[in-house]
Amino acid sequence: MRAAIERVEARIEAACRRAGRKREEVTLVAVSKTFPVETVAQAYAAGLRIFGENRPQELKNKVLALPDDIEWHFIGHLQTNKIKYVAGKAQLIHSVDSMHLAQALSDYAVSKQLTETILVQVNVSEEISKHGFEPDEAPERFLEIAALPGLQVKGLMGMAPFSDDEARVRSAFRKLRTIQNAIVQQVPQADSSALSMGMSGDFEIAIEEGSTIIRVGTALFGSRGR
Ligand SMILES: *Cc1c(COP(=O)(O)O)cnc(C)c1O
């Protein structure tokens, strides 16, 4: 575990150096989905404090079983009937991918008197199978979501296509950055500063393209069964 963390850390540092960025500008989310509580406990013992999950019930179980000073992020598609397992437990929900979900999260947060911090997911991959708002509608939807009570919107999340073609991957990350720029142009006071982009296979490219949050599973924990 420690060796894998060190390898990932070295890759992050090298990418930051190449991009002329500071290491502190990039937050590492350790994607622990499908791995048992014991594995997360080992990563915690090795110093990691931010973990990402993509299934509501699994998140809920891990929150109950693991130390309180862990920061949990929810990174998967969220159905509105599962909001109760996630809201108030995840410090950041990366994957708000529809107005229906945003409205339901807002209603829930208001009813529980909490503020849920979220990112707006955009489908920059040009793959119809992926979730998220279409790039051309994303700035407008972002601003609508930012106006909903109970939500604090921090930025955008996107996934590159699953591809060895570095140019395609880079162009997807650039597109997310372009959308961020469009939002800043339209409404300078809106907070869209967080860019969640980059996974095990492509986080160096994402860092070079301005990512502030990378979501890394396989490179830390090995490959997943499912
Ligand atoms: C599983 C997952 C990751 C981590 O992927 P790896 O390739 O294992 O690093 C990142 N983001 C999302 C949204 C995921 O579902």
Side-chain angles (χ1 to χ4, degrees), residues 31 33 54 75-76 157 159 198-201 215-219 224:
V31 176
K33 65 184 187 194
N54 72 341
I75 62 170
M157 186 271 239
M159 288 160 96
M199 307 176 23
S200 290
R215 310 175 309 269
V216 179
T218 310
R224 290 175 291 272

Side-chain angles (χ1 to χ4, degrees), residues 1-12 23 27-35 38-40 42-44 46-52 75 198-201 203 214-224:
M1 177 65 68
R2 282 175 201 275
I5 295 172
E6 277 168 26
R7 277 196 299 274
V8 167
E9 203 36 67
R11 285 174 59 189
I12 297 172
R23 171 64 187 87
T27 299
L28 169 64
V29 177
V31 176
S32 49
K33 65 184 187 194
T34 79
F35 288 97
E38 294 71 37
T39 306
V40 186
Q42 282 170 17
Y44 178 89
L48 298 185
R49 290 294 178 273
I50 308 176
F51 294 94
I75 62 170
M199 307 176 23
S200 290
F203 70 72
I214 57 173
R215 310 175 309 269
V216 179
T218 310
L220 292 168
F221 298 113
S223 56
R224 290 175 291 272

